[in-house]
């Protein structure tokens, strides 16, 4: 599913205190709302049988709550600290089960597809929605910056003088 609303269109923006731009969504886009929209876009409906949800993410919601804490000074609720919080909320709202979140860096969505396939082979559900979702995380950004992997001019993977990667955010879902 692809986000159709112009409010969800990606653009490149600078992040205060970060040395490289990111491919970004508007700052106020909530990761759970983003995930719910793409998952709802592929949900088979009532005739779909038992439908599971596997979400691959680098950061999920784990850093968002802490970053909000830094801005507003109030600690996040316990459930906002869990990487799986967005997937659990979406699954509950749409009646999906089983549900899990996998976070293994760049391979997260690839591993999510394998988990979904294993659920189907094992009979845990009749269909599986596999989704990937990420919002910008200062923690993840700092990690890539510390590795010297970020390109100060943004992503240019086919340029002869490319100088690093461009972190991005977005979501996609497949049934």
């Amino acid at each position: 599913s692809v986000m159709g609303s112009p409010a969800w269109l990606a653009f490149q923006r600078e992040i205060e205190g970060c040395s490289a731009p990111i491919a970004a969504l508007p700052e106020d886009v909530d990761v759970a709302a983003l995930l719910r929209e793409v998952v709802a876009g592929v949900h088979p409906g009532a005739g779909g049988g038992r439908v599971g949800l596997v979400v691959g993410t680098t950061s999920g919601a784990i850093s968002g709550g802490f970053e909000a804490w830094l801005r507003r000074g109030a600690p996040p609720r316990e459930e906002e600290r869990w990487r799986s919080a967005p997937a659990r909320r979406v699954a509950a709202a749409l009646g999906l089960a089983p549900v899990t979140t996998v976070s293994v860096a760049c391979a997260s969505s690839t591993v999510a597809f394998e988990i979904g396939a294993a659920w189907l082979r094992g009979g845990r559900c009749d269909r599986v929605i596999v989704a990937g979702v990420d919002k910008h995380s200062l923690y993840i950004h700092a990690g890539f910056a510390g590795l010297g992997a970020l390109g100060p001019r943004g992503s240019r993977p086919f340029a002869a003088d490319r100088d690093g990667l461009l972190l991005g955010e977005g979501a996609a879902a497949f049934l």
Side-chain angles (χ1 to χ4, degrees):
S1 175
V2 177
M3 310 301 285
S5 166
W8 297 98
L9 293 177
F11 59 93
Q12 189 168 309
R13 68 176 158 93
E14 301 292 324
I15 302 291
E16 184 179 338
C18 295
S19 60
I22 67 166
L25 297 162
E27 207 166 336
D28 62 347
V29 173
D30 175 69
V31 70
L34 178 62
L35 180 62
R36 182 175 177 155
E37 187 166 334
V38 297
V39 168
V42 299
H43 192 289
R50 299 168 301 149
V51 182
L53 175 63
V54 184
V55 175
T57 184
T58 303
S59 62
I62 197 165
S63 62
F66 290 106
E67 290 169 17
W69 182 8
L70 291 173
R71 286 191 296 275
R72 71 175 186 254
R77 295 186 324 262
E78 178 66 26
E79 62 272 11
E80 290 176 344
R81 299 180 200 177
W82 303 335
R83 192 177 308 264
S84 61
R88 290 175 183 258
R89 277 188 293 231
V90 169
L94 298 175
L96 304 173
V99 60
T100 194
T101 299
V102 61
S103 181
V104 289
C106 300
S108 298
S109 291
T110 302
V111 173
F113 272 103
E114 180 52 37
I115 290 170
W119 285 0
L120 292 172
R121 285 191 304 269
R124 289 194 69 193
C125 46
D126 302 308
R127 297 179 185 203
V128 177
I129 296 173
V130 176
V133 65
D134 264 310
K135 282 286 288 173
H136 181 261
S137 161
L138 292 174
Y139 176 76
I140 301 296
H141 199 110
F144 278 105
L147 292 170
L150 299 177
R153 294 180 287 172
S155 184
R156 299 172 308 111
F158 302 107
D161 63 341
R162 63 190 173 273
D163 55 3
L165 63 88
L166 172 71
L167 292 177
E169 49 186 19
F174 302 88
L175 176 64

